[in-house]
Amino acid sequence: MSSFSEDDAFEAAAAPANRPSLSQMAMGARPTPYLDGLNPAQREAVETLDGPVLMLAGAGTGKTKALTCRIAHLLNTGRARPDEILAVTFTNKAAREMKDRVAGLMGQSVDGVRWLGTFHAICVKQLRRHAELVGLKSNFTILDTDDQIRLLKQLIRAADMDEKRWPARQLAGLIDGWKNKALTPAKLGAADEMAFNDKGKTLYAQYQQRLKDLNACDFGDLLLHMVTIFQNHPDLLEQYQRWYKYILVDEYQDTNVSQYLWLRLLAQGHRNICCVGDDDQSIYGWRGAEVGNILRFEKDFPGAKVVRLEQNYRSTPHILAAASSVISANAGRLGKELWTAEQDGELVRLIGHWDGEEEARWVGEEIEAMHSGTRSRLRKFSLDEQAILVRASHQMRAFEDRFLTIGLPYRVIGGPRFYERLEIRDAMAYFRVVISPEDDLAFERIINVPKRGVGDKAMADIQITARTNGVSLKEGARIAVQDGLLKGKAKTGVAQLIDQLDRWSSLCVQQIRVDGVADEDAVIERDEEPAEISHVELAEMILDESGYTTMWQNDKNPDSPGRLENLKELVKALEAFDNLGGFLEHVSLIMDNSSEEQGEMVTIMTLHGAKGLEFPVVFLPGWEEGLFPSQRSMDESGQKGLEEERRLAYVGITRAEELCTISFAGNRRVYGQWQSQLPSRFIDELPPEHVDVLTPPGLYGGGYGAASSGGFDSGAASGMSTGFEDRVSKADGYNSPGWKRLQSRSQRSGAATNVRSGSGSMTIDAKASAVFTVGDRVFHKKFGYGQVMELDGDKLTIDFDHSGEKKLVASFVVPADKASDVPF
DNA sequence: AACTTCTTACTTTTT
DNA sequence: GTAAGAAGTT
């Protein structure tokens, strides 16, 4: 086992001697031009180098700038050598950006900052060094979710449980959750032990044992193992504590318990830890993030300096005001108020639509109008400058459909990532078995892909053979073939596969790196002795000879050509690596979306995916109760869930630089069933004076109180102006001037946005109660005829003859005798 | 063993 | 409404 200091000595010696190190260059007085562009708060965050610092950085306040300047400053002042800085991010993208920007500031590449990376990448690096302390070998493999599920399925089956009642997915979720909380099987609480049909703890323990047997770990283990190691080996921990003089953490509000413990252990030495985050942007609670970590920072690190970055450089005042107003409804915030030096800007726009398709149509027209510059007062916006941010990915389809028909180019971000695609994982599984013949999970994945006549029976036989002989699945299969256990198609198929695998492996042997620890930072250009066959050729050979390529060529699914394309891309990606092994190591951690798009396109993505991004024009559709805030979130996590949804709304609004448009639909098809939708309560939390309402009031409820109860009655009805009444055009259902104007507005896209003088003076609740009384027969375009059961402000509870009871906004129905008047 | 029909359940997602 | 997974059929 290599001790830490030996490693360091080795690495220090191996450092190129012909180039002055950053710290050498940093000796003596150096100019600090990078400090000049900072505002006072940023500067304080950058210059407070010693002791714990919490940087509360609101959206768009230049947090990455401050973070990267801080690193540059640490190096520049000679406080730390590049490798004495530990800088952690959540995503590879963020890590890359930080590296690039520090390099930009320093005017040179910063390869020396070896400990800048994601939590997982850094933990892998550490764990490879100390794997034996948790019973693993240094070359352990990292399982992805798919492998994980397959393994758990086997365990559940072995435990004789009903796979339907006790799905492996659910168990995987539980185990992930425990690992996020740094709970090993031994540390599980009583309730958790009994989870999953009383088998929670047992199965978890079995799973961990299986992982150890396979010399593998999952993503959660990377963190958890390191925490365990540090907790059990104080001497080792101390070395690391001494080593990392300065620690920086990005997106601290997203850390889970394991990550928190890991950080806290490492920071106990020098206590120079700088955590950057925004409690208002904590949107990953559902995957174990603990907002509590950031809320507790000052207690964890007494004497911590708290710096607030509140000057926003991204959005207009109206956008900021809307975001602030929404988020202020949350309790227990650390408190921050964004402000901007900007004066001008558009109001946040709010519009309601009849249904989801209408919403998509309108957004499409708006995007085209923005693009062609026909929107008066506003500049032209390229498609790249516009984005649609949805709560859930299924909302994307309506927009895709619409954009396809009108020929508006778009890009969807957040689909299945390249390396998560079926064909890529299959190919990778082939590579894995070739490199490590004992990789049972990979072997299992490919043994019958393409079809080799291996079914449940044959597979079970192979499993048993392997187990009784105590060998890998591949060897078990070999024995099963020799012993005549397999018959017919399966026999020939498996025999051929094994021969092929053996041959590929032998071709691969000379390529396996001897140093074992493949460093992802290793220079990729390093020339190796050209093997008889390059790893790229080998990969092509594997895919061709195995029949895998042929399988997709013969497949007549419309997506097969795409899959073949992806396989070609995979082979191309290989070229950047020395060998297959190095490539696999890289891929297991870096699940990047390697898509080089061309041309201008509108971006469609989820709110989660948009965190950290910004767009001049942002559309936020689907602000409806149940969809956003998501019903499930509220059901599962109650008030906490609602607040996280609200933070998501905050994230969404603050993505917009110049124009933010929120919309909702009154009707939406959910799981194939038409449902009437109520406007989101978040809409009521928007500040009226900063909102431009493009909607006839009936569509959203006229003012406050769409869903948050009472607000409407006590506000509008009692004569207390909520602000929206004056701004909106008055309408009374389908035939109202307001509704007509909305329709025509979207047809002539050049119409000015802020012409909305009221034509009537009655508010819609007055109208609703004036027009409808309990017992009235009404007609609704989608639900047909029904009877009014209850009145609630502008909303009616209606018992529909065919669709049952529903609560909806009054303007969606007309008296039954006016049914024929309903347009379209 | 492979193909077909039926049931069921359904956020958000990085590593 | 759809996609995945399980049961049922060839």
Side-chain angles (χ1 to χ4, degrees), chain A residues 305-429:
Chain A
K305 178 126 199 167
V306 180
V307 183
R308 285 183 162 77
L309 303 191
E310 296 175 292
Q311 181 175 4
N312 177 289
Y313 297 96
R314 179 185 293 159
S315 313
T316 63
H318 292 307
I319 291 169
L320 291 184
S324 298
S325 171
V326 169
I327 198 65
S328 67
N330 270 4
R333 301 170 55 217
L334 287 171
K336 237 179 322 84
E337 189 82 30
L338 295 182
W339 61 277
T340 175
E342 292 299 313
Q343 302 286 315
D344 306 320
E346 294 295 306
L347 294 170
V348 169
R349 304 188 305 165
L350 172 65
I351 183 167
H353 302 279
W354 164 254
D355 62 16
E357 276 89 74
E358 162 67 23
E359 182 180 52
R361 196 177 318 136
W362 187 83
V363 169
E365 280 164 10
E366 279 297 297
I367 290 171
E368 289 184 324
M370 299 292 167
H371 185 223
S372 55
T374 42
R375 190 102 298 164
S376 61
R377 297 208 323 279
L378 298 178
R379 66 178 182 93
K380 274 191 187 184
F381 293 94
S382 88
L383 296 182
D384 290 325
E385 290 179 303
Q386 309 191 50
I388 299 164
L389 310 181
V390 298
R391 174 62 183 83
S393 45
H394 61 76
Q395 288 171 262
M396 294 176 176
R397 182 145 77 236
F399 293 96
E400 291 194 61
D401 285 351
R402 182 64 197 158
F403 295 173
L404 240 32
T405 35
I406 63 173
L408 182 64
Y410 65 88
R411 109 191 81 211
V412 170
I413 308 245
R417 272 167 291 288
F418 184 71
Y419 290 110
E420 276 170 15
R421 288 169 200 197
L422 178 84
E423 64 277 16
I424 299 303
R425 307 171 62 120
D426 285 342
M428 306 267 298

Side-chain angles (χ1 to χ4, degrees), chain A residues 395-608:
Chain A
Q395 288 171 262
M396 294 176 176
R397 182 145 77 236
F399 293 96
E400 291 194 61
D401 285 351
R402 182 64 197 158
F403 295 173
L404 240 32
T405 35
I406 63 173
L408 182 64
Y410 65 88
R411 109 191 81 211
V412 170
I413 308 245
R417 272 167 291 288
F418 184 71
Y419 290 110
E420 276 170 15
R421 288 169 200 197
L422 178 84
E423 64 277 16
I424 299 303
R425 307 171 62 120
D426 285 342
M428 306 267 298
Y430 269 100
F431 302 159
R432 274 164 62 186
V433 182
V434 168
I435 288 175
S436 356
E438 71 282 1
D439 192 331
D440 287 358
L441 286 163
F443 183 76
E444 200 186 328
R445 181 177 182 110
I446 52 109
I447 185 167
N448 202 31
V449 181
K451 300 265 184 293
R452 294 192 179 86
V454 182
D456 294 345
K457 172 91 169 37
M459 197 59 221
D461 286 342
I462 293 171
Q463 296 262 18
I464 291 166
T465 313
R467 203 159 311 157
T468 48
N469 289 282
V471 293
S472 69
L473 273 187
K474 183 187 164 193
E475 291 312 307
R478 194 194 305 277
I479 296 168
V481 170
Q482 285 163 359
D483 292 1
L485 238 83
L486 300 181
K487 303 192 171 56
K489 251 181 145 181
K491 180 178 176 175
T492 46
V494 172
Q496 192 199 6
L497 175 67
I498 290 176
D499 282 349
Q500 289 174 324
L501 288 173
D502 287 343
R503 210 178 77 254
W504 297 326
S505 293
S506 70
L507 286 170
C508 190
V509 157
Q510 63 261 54
Q511 304 196 354
I512 292 178
R513 296 262 290 267
V514 212
D515 49 331
V517 181
D519 192 331
E520 48 168 340
D521 290 339
V523 189
I524 51 179
E525 297 83 19
R526 173 150 43 102
D527 254 350
E528 217 143 292
E529 205 55 41
E532 292 169 33
I533 175 173
S534 81
H535 63 288
V536 180
E537 290 170 303
L538 176 63
E540 280 170 337
M541 180 192 282
I542 293 171
L543 295 180
D544 285 342
E545 293 182 3
S546 63
Y548 192 72
T549 328
T550 320
M551 179 183 98
W552 288 117
Q553 279 162 354
N554 295 339
D555 192 301
K556 50 207 171 295
N557 268 336
D559 52 346
S560 305
R563 294 187 192 275
L564 285 164
E565 265 317 296
N566 290 336
L567 288 172
K568 273 199 199 123
E569 280 223 25
L570 177 75
V571 173
K572 217 166 82 197
L574 270 171
E575 288 170 9
F577 289 82
D578 292 345
N579 52 48
L580 280 182
F583 178 69
L584 291 179
E585 166 73 9
H586 171 84
V587 164
S588 62
L589 274 177
I590 298 175
M591 295 288 208
D592 257 347
N593 226 347
S594 66
S595 43
E596 353 64 51
E597 284 110 5
Q598 48 243 349
E600 259 189 54
M601 294 183 205
V602 179
T603 302
I604 306 176
M605 67 196 308
T606 62
L607 287 164
H608 283 93

Side-chain angles (χ1 to χ4, degrees), chain A residues 173-215:
Chain A
L174 280 170
I175 292 179
D176 265 354
W178 291 328
K179 289 184 176 177
N180 286 338
K181 292 201 191 103
L183 294 171
T184 55
K187 288 182 185 161
L188 281 191
D192 285 333
E193 281 190 23
M194 287 305 141
F196 211 75
N197 199 22
D198 294 356
K199 298 265 189 9
K201 183 182 179 177
T202 320
L203 287 169
Y204 182 16
Q206 287 173 349
Y207 172 66
Q208 290 307 102
Q209 188 53 49
R210 283 287 286 140
L211 287 180
K212 208 183 273 186
D213 294 343
L214 290 162
N215 189 30

Side-chain angles (χ1 to χ4, degrees), chain A residues 688-689 702-704 711 714-727 763:
Chain A
E689 63 276 21
Y704 291 82
S714 55
S718 64
M720 243 168 62
S721 173
T722 58
F724 277 150
E725 292 88 342
D726 320 322
R727 311 194 56 86
T763 54

Side-chain angles (χ1 to χ4, degrees), chain A residues 18 27 57 121 132 140 195 245 304 329 378 380 410 505 636 651 704:
Chain A
N18 54 349
M27 303 308 270
E132 70 285 347
F140 60 83
K245 286 196 180 144
L378 298 178
K380 274 191 187 184
Y410 65 88
S505 293
E636 282 175 8
V651 168
Y704 291 82

